[in-house]
Amino acid sequence: MANRTNVGGWLQGKTVRKGGITSTNAHSTRSNTPQVQSTSTTVFGGGVKDSSGRTSEYFSMDDQCPVCKSDRYLNPKLRLLVSSCYHKMCESCIDRLFTLGPAPCPICQKVLRKLAFTPQTFEDLTVEKEVAVRRRIAKEFNKRRDDFQDLRAYNDYLEEVEDLTFNLINDIDVPQTEARIAAHRAENAALIERNVQRDEQYAHALKEQEEIERQEREQRASEARREEEMEREEREKGRREIIDRLETSSKNAAKVIAKSRAEANKRSSARTAADTVLKSNAQLLRSRAAQSTVVPDVPHVPLQDDWYAYEDIYTLMSSYEDPYSEAVRKDREGIMRAGGYRVEEAWERALRSAVMGLDLLPLVGQGISDVDKDPSSQPDVVMAAA
Amino acid sequence: MDAVERANTERQKRWVKDQKVGEGTYAVVYRGREFATGRKVAIKKIKVGQFKDGLDMSAIREVKYLRELHHQNVIELLDVFSSKTNLNLVLEFLDSDLEKIIKDRTLVFLPADIKAWMAMTFRGLEFCHRNFVLHRDLKPNNLLIASDGQLKIADFGLARDFTDPGHKMTCQVITRWYRPPELLFGSRYYSTAVDIWSVGCIFAELMLRTPYLPGETDMDQLKTIFRALGTPTEEDWPGHTKLPDYVPVGQFPRTPLRDLFTAATTDTLNLLSKCLIYEPRKRIGAKEALHHAYFFALPYPSHPSKLPKLSNNTSSRPLDEVDGNVDMNASGPGVKASAPNRLKRKLSSPGDELGGRPLARRLDFTQKRS
């Protein structure tokens, strides 16, 4: 009774290793509830797996087989499995009814096979069914946003998928829905295949990354161990040294000890300093990345003022009648060009200086009178004074 | 003269010198503050007297250009005053520079960080160039970082404005590792391209975390450059053999940048190679660089406030603790902070049994869906 009142009965489910039931005893020390035990020789696969690849099996003290009415009191090893029509049955019933081949379900008369029975994960069988349906649908309807031209098309597609799923879950127009699914499969076979491969690659990459991080952790741990070992050895050595020195030297014992203590301290502090520098790169990167989520980064803005909005004030010509720069432009030796000097820059400067103040209003008020009163605002004057 | 002196003492009173923070060849730098507001400033006291003919050239240059240039990415000169025989420049106080940040091995740069620094450098430089000022000493050491993360170009001691045609400039400028080949070959006529080369070297240094072209002498510098980028041919750089100090330094083959910058994107390398073109006239300009595809590509440049900063001991402590927690529950969220999107995907779709798809999909009305 107590189990029923809890939310999500599968939380109390027992964990069965993917490979087989025989290994379940391995975790028996952890729990005080009886383990799921199988009386059948058949290994039933399927069921909903959690992220670690295990199947959590739903299990309750008032389980009763709807077919033979046997319950946990009569048969402590009772294990209920779910048929493809989502009816529960105990293992002995399954063995009895289906060992000789496909047979109708005793509840709904649908023809079932023995191997199509799966362990139960959720207390509510409609959830079990929904999960199975969604899993099946997701396998074939695996298009992504980038497979569509616009968001609208993608949303329409999601809507359609949801429709199909809903129909299957609630047994509405099943033949028609199946036909639609088959049609979709036929139409998009290549795309589905490609997306499956892409997902696999992604999962693979994820696994690889995990593996790399695991190795890194291990390496760090072993480094730490080695360091500890070294430190211990060093301490040991130091102690021996003190004893040796006390043996051989004629100095004051307290002085000798203090001296070697100081030496040891110096050594160990040098080591810790080195340690802080040698922090692993990954760790640093991690803390750096964790920092960088507070203020959002903004796209690059090349220039943050309107300087070049006034470019049209003048037009720089390709050449000018300019006796001053004639020698430069001729550049007989070619050294101006090689050095990167541009006479255009000089021209541009001259032009810009000429037009720079054209549309500025003359200075009035504070600025002018300030300068008048206070000639030292010109740094040159100050220098002259100095 | 009296009025000038009075005004000067008035100015002097506005600022308070605190302690000495550094000493250069021609100046001593003090930390100080504004008397009225308490705002932190740096006061650069120029030593006068040890030069026969008055003030040191670089002090004059610095005042001359900083007085004119006001930009978010250029250091601000707040005031100038004299005390006894010294000239004092009051500058914005900026506590770190890019060199210190590059050298701090506990900091990790994301590609977005480098992009942000480069954007700020180019923006500041573009501002100088549009005002016809050549900086002529760009290096990480001279790119200061404000406490809010803004990068500011500083040290205009070697700056000068564009010359009139036919006027010679000195080629003994720019710290050697960041000096372009045309200056190493002794060209006396050059342009904005010299600064771009320095920025290219800084760009590479940000990615490598070590100087890109560290030559030991001027001769060796040329060799280092050619070893990295290949000896230029007459076609690469017309006329370079006629430059005053041209000397052949040996033939080196060109190695693709990709070999050294293995993790960089194509855009990144494209911009870098354009900054390091031998022929100065073909080298990218600062304005052009700011419009380069590199800056528009994802990831966006980091927000200045998020850029790596020099860590004080106090601030590094909590970070360590975070790391520890993350390692403890290795399967929990947040472990793969480096790839948050992938992690999210994984949690919502438990593996291959479900064909990598979430069980139920919701209708999706947002335009952005990863």
Side-chain angles (χ1 to χ4, degrees):
Chain A
M1 279 298 165
N3 284 340
R4 285 278 154 82
T5 55
N6 280 332
V7 211
W10 61 281
L11 284 175
Q12 281 120 31
K14 289 284 117 279
T15 301
V16 181
R17 264 206 190 279
K18 193 177 175 182
I21 292 116
T22 43
S23 65
T24 46
N25 292 338
H27 349 247
S28 62
T29 46
R30 281 259 180 98
S31 58
N32 42 16
T33 42
Q35 285 297 309
V36 175
Q37 285 174 315
S38 182
T39 51
S40 170
T41 48
T42 315
V43 173
F44 294 99
V48 178
K49 296 179 179 95
D50 63 13
S51 52
S52 60
R54 293 178 185 171
T55 313
S56 306
E57 205 163 310
Y58 173 69
F59 169 96
S60 112
M61 281 317 282
D62 19 76
D63 276 341
Q64 192 196 36
C65 171
V67 181
C68 63
K69 309 295 180 203
S70 157
D71 61 15
R72 207 163 286 289
Y73 178 71
L74 292 170
N75 174 15
K77 291 184 174 178
L78 182 78
R79 185 187 180 209
L80 295 178
L81 291 157
V82 185
S83 69
S84 56
C85 52
Y86 296 96
H87 294 116
K88 287 199 260 190
M89 241 163 277
C90 71
E91 275 178 322
S92 62
C93 283
I94 294 168
D95 277 341
R96 177 168 53 81
L97 292 169
F98 301 103
T99 304
L100 293 176
C105 166
I107 301 154
C108 69
Q109 311 306 322
K110 191 183 166 195
V111 176
L112 300 174
R113 286 160 196 280
K114 190 174 176 181
L115 281 174
F117 282 83
T118 54
Q120 180 186 357
T121 302
F122 301 100
E123 179 179 8
D124 189 346
L125 282 181
T126 53
V127 175
E128 191 89 39
K129 183 176 182 185
E130 179 163 353
V131 169
V133 168
R134 285 195 184 275
R135 190 192 301 169
R136 182 190 150 199
I137 291 286
K139 226 171 238 163
E140 296 185 345
F141 290 81
N142 57 2
K143 290 195 195 174
R144 302 176 178 208
R145 170 69 184 88
D146 16 313
D147 295 332
F148 295 90
Q149 284 192 330
D150 55 2
L151 189 62
R152 169 111 222 152
Y154 182 52
N155 276 337
D156 287 346
Y157 164 79
L158 289 181
E159 180 95 54
E160 193 202 335
V161 172
E162 201 53 38
D163 266 353
L164 293 174
T165 315
F166 185 82
N167 286 352
L168 282 186
I169 291 168
N170 297 295
D171 293 321
I172 305 165
D173 299 337
V174 175
Q176 203 191 329
T177 312
E178 289 292 351
R180 272 165 75 188
I181 295 175
H184 172 269
R185 183 169 36 211
E187 263 170 48
N188 299 295
L191 189 60
I192 292 171
E193 183 59 28
R194 207 192 68 206
N195 277 345
V196 165
Q197 276 172 8
R198 206 157 49 173
D199 286 340
E200 268 168 13
Q201 269 170 13
Y202 175 72
H204 187 69
L206 210 60
K207 226 175 254 170
E208 245 169 35
Q209 196 192 347
E210 255 167 28
E211 179 64 19
I212 288 167
E213 288 196 359
R214 199 184 51 79
Q215 282 175 357
E216 209 172 82
R217 265 199 305 280
E218 264 173 20
Q219 197 192 337
R220 258 194 315 245
S222 75
E223 222 158 75
R225 264 199 306 279
R226 215 192 47 224
E227 232 151 65
E228 218 164 87
E229 185 78 10
M230 252 166 58
E231 202 178 322
R232 221 183 30 143
E233 257 172 35
E234 208 159 283
R235 222 177 310 137
E236 196 62 31
K237 209 174 84 189
R239 205 171 300 146
R240 264 202 310 276
E241 223 168 75
I242 293 182
I243 294 173
D244 285 353
R245 257 193 234 174
L246 282 177
E247 240 174 34
T248 52
S249 109
S250 54
K251 277 189 209 151
N252 186 347
K255 257 188 201 158
V256 172
I257 289 172
K259 195 177 160 207
S260 20
R261 283 258 164 83
E263 262 168 31
N265 269 344
K266 207 187 276 169
R267 268 203 303 273
S268 78
S269 67
R271 202 174 39 240
T272 46
D275 280 354
T276 46
V277 173
L278 280 171
K279 255 211 262 176
S280 109
N281 229 2
Q283 216 168 334
L284 285 169
L285 195 63
R286 205 174 294 153
S287 61
R288 173 76 186 87
Q291 256 180 315
S292 65
T293 45
V294 198
V295 196
D297 295 328
V298 287
H300 171 70
V301 182
L303 293 166
Q304 295 164 329
D305 51 26
D306 56 359
W307 178 266
Y308 291 100
Y310 301 99
E311 282 284 70
D312 56 351
I313 262 185
Y314 62 91
T315 340
L316 193 67
M317 315 276 270
S318 59
S319 182
Y320 289 91
E321 183 99 359
D322 178 13
Y324 282 110
S325 67
E326 209 172 326
V328 179
R329 275 178 294 149
K330 272 192 195 147
D331 194 13
R332 283 208 192 79
E333 317 271 290
I335 50 170
M336 305 268 180
R337 185 184 149 73
Y341 184 79
R342 289 158 186 274
V343 76
E344 294 84 8
E345 279 179 353
W347 287 336
E348 191 186 345
R349 182 180 182 188
L351 273 177
R352 213 176 233 292
S353 315
V355 300
M356 216 170 240
L358 282 189
D359 48 358
L360 282 185
L361 292 173
L363 290 175
V364 280
Q366 191 98 34
I368 293 273
S369 58
D370 251 339
V371 172
D372 282 345
K373 260 194 285 171
D374 181 6
S376 66
S377 66
Q378 303 298 320
D380 308 18
V381 182
V382 179
M383 276 187 286
Chain B
M1 207 54 190
D2 234 13
V4 172
E5 257 168 33
R6 217 178 320 122
N8 184 48
T9 38
E10 223 163 76
R11 258 151 202 275
Q12 195 176 347
K13 272 188 204 152
R14 269 183 72 193
W15 312 101
V16 183
K17 247 181 232 174
D18 286 342
Q19 82 258 37
K20 189 166 148 181
V21 284
E23 182 155 4
T25 44
Y26 78 95
V28 188
V29 181
Y30 296 88
R31 189 204 300 255
R33 64 201 141 80
E34 189 173 11
F35 189 73
T37 61
R39 174 166 63 147
K40 272 198 205 169
V41 294
I43 299 179
K44 206 166 178 179
K45 190 172 91 179
I46 315 267
K47 299 169 189 165
V48 188
Q50 59 190 72
F51 302 97
K52 277 182 214 130
D53 24 314
L55 273 174
D56 181 32
M57 192 62 182
S58 46
I60 296 175
R61 280 180 166 152
E62 187 138 32
V63 175
K64 184 173 167 190
Y65 296 113
L66 284 181
R67 247 351 239 202
E68 304 274 342
L69 301 173
H70 294 283
H71 187 265
Q72 200 181 15
N73 298 118
V74 174
I75 193 170
E76 201 181 344
L77 178 66
L78 298 164
D79 208 349
V80 184
F81 64 86
S82 61
S83 60
K84 284 176 248 160
T85 57
N86 295 318
L87 179 67
N88 293 273
L89 314 186
V90 183
L91 294 155
E92 238 178 313
F93 184 81
L94 301 165
D95 36 11
S96 64
D97 62 59
L98 208 53
E99 189 188 11
K100 283 184 198 147
I101 288 181
I102 289 172
K103 279 188 178 160
D104 187 342
R105 289 282 151 191
T106 62
L107 298 175
V108 175
F109 299 170
L110 302 178
D113 301 339
I114 295 175
K115 192 174 289 184
W117 280 319
M118 288 312 291
M120 290 190 280
T121 311
F122 272 125
R123 233 176 252 138
L125 186 62
E126 195 276 337
F127 183 79
C128 299
H129 285 178
R130 78 156 75 133
N131 287 297
F132 311 105
V133 174
L134 300 178
H135 185 280
R136 303 200 301 179
D137 196 15
L138 287 174
K139 53 182 173 180
N141 197 10
N142 281 343
L143 300 177
L144 306 188
I145 308 288
S147 51
D148 64 349
Q150 282 289 350
L151 178 148
K152 308 206 179 224
I153 298 179
D155 196 349
F156 281 69
L158 286 173
R160 70 160 296 157
D161 52 354
F162 296 7
T163 46
D164 294 332
H167 210 91
K168 279 189 179 180
M169 294 185 264
T170 170
C171 58
Q172 292 301 318
V173 284
I174 308 191
T175 308
R176 191 187 302 121
W177 295 347
Y178 306 93
R179 198 181 298 162
E182 66 263 28
L183 292 188
L184 291 163
F185 281 145
S187 168
R188 315 301 296 271
Y189 308 96
Y190 48 85
S191 71
T192 50
V194 295
D195 285 337
I196 300 295
W197 179 279
S198 310
V199 175
C201 295
I202 295 168
F203 191 9
E205 186 167 343
L206 279 170
M207 290 190 270
L208 298 172
R209 301 293 290 265
T210 173
Y212 177 44
L213 301 167
E216 284 171 15
T217 59
D218 288 3
M219 238 8 248
D220 188 51
Q221 182 64 34
L222 275 169
K223 240 184 232 171
T224 312
I225 292 173
F226 294 163
R227 215 175 280 135
L229 300 165
T231 309
T233 60
E234 189 61 31
E235 199 177 298
D236 292 336
W237 186 7
H240 73 280
T241 48
K242 302 221 182 64
L243 287 171
D245 301 345
Y246 174 77
V247 267
V249 279
Q251 291 296 318
F252 297 99
R254 184 177 179 82
T255 48
L257 288 173
R258 168 68 61 201
D259 290 2
L260 185 57
F261 304 91
T262 44
T265 63
T266 321
D267 282 335
T268 314
L269 292 187
N270 185 277
L271 178 58
L272 178 62
S273 62
K274 282 186 172 169
C275 293
L276 299 175
I277 290 176
Y278 281 123
E279 151 127 57
R281 288 158 167 257
K282 289 205 183 124
R283 222 171 278 156
I284 197 166
K287 184 180 159 199
E288 208 186 324
L290 280 169
H291 288 90
H292 192 273
Y294 163 69
F295 289 112
F296 295 98
L298 286 175
Y300 293 147
S302 302
H303 191 273
S305 63
K306 289 190 299 191
L307 289 170
K309 286 190 191 78
L310 289 184
S311 56
N312 304 323
N313 288 331
T314 44
S315 70
S316 69
R317 192 53 51 199
L319 271 183
D320 289 348
E321 276 161 22
V322 167
D323 280 340
N325 283 343
V326 166
D327 276 344
M328 296 291 266
N329 45 14
S331 63
V335 178
K336 270 173 275 175
S338 53
N341 288 332
R342 301 178 97 189
L343 184 75
K344 223 176 260 168
R345 287 291 305 264
K346 185 195 153 203
L347 285 182
S348 62
S349 59
D352 40 2
E353 292 94 20
L354 301 177
R357 308 295 306 170
L359 281 180
R361 275 179 289 182
R362 272 186 231 136
L363 289 186
D364 167 19
F365 294 101
T366 52
Q367 278 296 345
K368 265 193 199 168
R369 190 183 149 92
S370 56

